[in-house]
Amino acid sequence: MKTNILFCLIFNFIFSLSFSQNPDKKVEQRHYTSLKYYKLKYKEPLTKEDSLNFQYRNNDTLVLIKNYLEPKGVRVPYEFKDSTFLHYYKKVAFNHKNNLYSTKTSMKYWKEDIRIFFSKNIKKSTKKDFIPFVKNISDQVDSLNIFIVKKAKDANYFIYNDGDYEYEENLKNNKNTNYYIYWKQNKIYKGAIKLYPDDISLEDKMKDYFIQSLGFFKLSNEFDCNSYFSNCASEKKTLTNLDLEIIKYHYSYGICKGTNLETFENQHKKAKALLKETGHKLYFLHVD
């Protein structure tokens, strides 16, 4: 049996191709990269001997990497989604504007745990529905852990009222923005929500901003009005099945995290073609 494995590295693709003519013998494994990436990554010019080891997959020329050391990581099988779901997912994950996307825009996600601190002036009634709401998300979404902490020094996510200590300077004197997040290499590491007590439905607003901050998600008018990913103004939003599936998928390791839209689409194209044409498994290797 032959298994093709796609290693998911930042801006890098390494193919591990295993071949065996006799299932009783040890499988020989060779590692390849695309010709395009090889020219960007490696300085050594290709020789005639190298060309004898070329492999061809999905219209790509693959170059054998000699003495390759496999990085440590976690292998996860590709998670298939149909085109309808991916249409909705791309709407929110890649920050579209007027249905147009920038190929440079990359998805954002939390790598570390989210540790939420409430300022002392946040009322218990305001937190009453919010805490079970985020706990439900944490329980249902793999690789996304959300906790409530009692001390600000232990937090990386702050929820506070206007007039409290200003936990986020970028929200100071800025009523046009109610939440703010920071990221590095597309990994979100800090966030904040600022509430204005004179606003109605504070509980709903907290949920709105929190959902958006899970991936710098962009709202869309293509979602039902009760969806948290809809830009429809509504006080009756609920975490719909599609909402939850989008968040689950965003945090799934069955895709490459932190990629731009062009890379995301190319990976799906290759993965679906491989499944359709060969039925062989494709895996992503996630490496920190």
Side-chain angles (χ1 to χ4, degrees):
M1 179 179 179
K2 179 177 69 174
T3 301
N4 292 335
I5 301 175
L6 173 64
F7 289 81
C8 181
L9 305 175
I10 298 177
F11 310 116
N12 180 13
F13 298 98
I14 302 296
F15 294 82
S16 174
L17 304 181
S18 302
F19 303 93
S20 177
Q21 300 297 329
N22 187 336
D24 296 326
K25 293 184 178 181
K26 184 178 180 181
V27 175
E28 178 186 1
Q29 190 175 70
R30 296 182 179 183
H31 297 89
Y32 295 82
T33 189
S34 69
L35 179 60
K36 180 179 179 181
Y37 179 77
Y38 183 92
K39 291 180 178 179
L40 292 174
K41 178 69 175 178
Y42 300 96
K43 295 181 180 181
E44 296 83 358
L46 292 170
T47 65
K48 182 177 180 180
E49 182 182 354
D50 291 320
S51 66
L52 296 176
N53 291 309
F54 283 172
Q55 293 288 325
Y56 302 94
R57 293 291 185 276
N58 298 324
N59 296 321
D60 279 349
T61 299
L62 306 183
V63 180
L64 176 67
I65 302 176
K66 300 175 182 177
N67 302 318
Y68 176 76
L69 295 177
E70 180 178 322
K72 294 182 180 180
V74 179
R75 295 185 185 187
V76 180
Y78 166 70
E79 183 174 348
F80 175 84
K81 291 291 184 181
D82 62 34
S83 58
T84 300
F85 177 88
L86 292 178
H87 170 80
Y88 283 105
Y89 175 73
K90 289 186 291 186
K91 282 285 184 179
V92 300
F94 291 98
N95 205 19
H96 74 95
K97 185 176 182 180
N98 297 325
N99 295 321
L100 298 176
Y101 301 90
S102 168
T103 56
K104 297 180 180 179
T105 300
S106 299
M107 64 174 79
K108 312 294 189 295
Y109 67 101
W110 288 84
K111 175 68 173 178
E112 59 182 287
D113 297 343
I114 300 177
R115 304 180 300 278
I116 301 174
F117 172 79
F118 296 98
S119 68
K120 63 180 181 180
N121 291 324
I122 299 291
K123 296 179 180 179
K124 289 184 178 180
S125 59
T126 305
K127 296 185 288 185
K128 183 178 179 180
D129 292 329
F130 181 78
I131 293 177
F133 176 79
V134 298
K135 185 179 185 304
N136 176 52
I137 294 174
S138 180
D139 289 344
Q140 296 200 57
V141 180
D142 291 339
S143 76
L144 177 61
N145 300 310
I146 307 170
F147 302 97
I148 308 300
V149 298
K150 295 182 178 180
K151 297 180 180 180
K153 68 180 183 65
D154 297 326
N156 58 5
Y157 201 110
F158 303 88
I159 300 178
Y160 63 102
N161 285 330
D162 181 38
D164 292 347
Y165 175 79
E166 195 69 63
Y167 289 94
E168 177 48 61
E169 285 295 318
N170 286 292
L171 296 178
K172 187 176 182 179
N173 301 321
N174 186 359
K175 287 193 174 185
N176 294 321
T177 302
N178 292 86
Y179 84 92
Y180 202 88
I181 54 177
Y182 295 82
W183 61 77
K184 184 177 181 180
Q185 295 180 340
N186 299 321
K187 298 176 183 177
I188 306 171
Y189 62 89
K190 182 182 177 183
I193 293 174
K194 184 175 182 178
L195 300 172
Y196 293 86
D198 56 334
D199 289 342
I200 61 173
S201 302
L202 283 179
E203 297 85 355
D204 293 328
K205 288 182 178 294
M206 286 171 65
K207 295 175 184 177
D208 286 341
Y209 304 142
F210 184 76
I211 291 293
Q212 292 174 52
S213 71
L214 291 180
F216 196 44
F217 292 131
K218 184 78 170 182
L219 304 183
S220 170
N221 59 9
E222 292 191 23
F223 287 77
D224 292 338
C225 196
N226 63 334
S227 165
Y228 280 104
F229 293 119
S230 171
N231 58 10
C232 169
S234 173
E235 297 178 13
K236 297 182 180 180
K237 291 192 176 184
T238 60
L239 192 66
T240 68
N241 290 335
L242 180 57
D243 291 350
L244 186 58
E245 285 304 309
I246 284 175
I247 299 171
K248 286 181 177 180
Y249 185 69
H250 193 73
Y251 282 88
S252 166
Y253 280 92
I255 60 174
C256 276
K257 295 174 177 291
T259 65
N260 59 30
L261 180 60
E262 182 179 15
T263 300
F264 178 83
E265 291 185 327
N266 285 339
Q267 289 172 356
H268 279 273
K269 183 178 179 180
K270 291 176 182 292
K272 288 183 177 181
L274 183 65
L275 289 172
K276 181 179 179 180
E277 294 172 8
T278 70
H280 297 148
K281 292 182 179 180
L282 181 147
Y283 292 81
F284 292 117
L285 177 63
H286 295 270
V287 182
D288 289 332

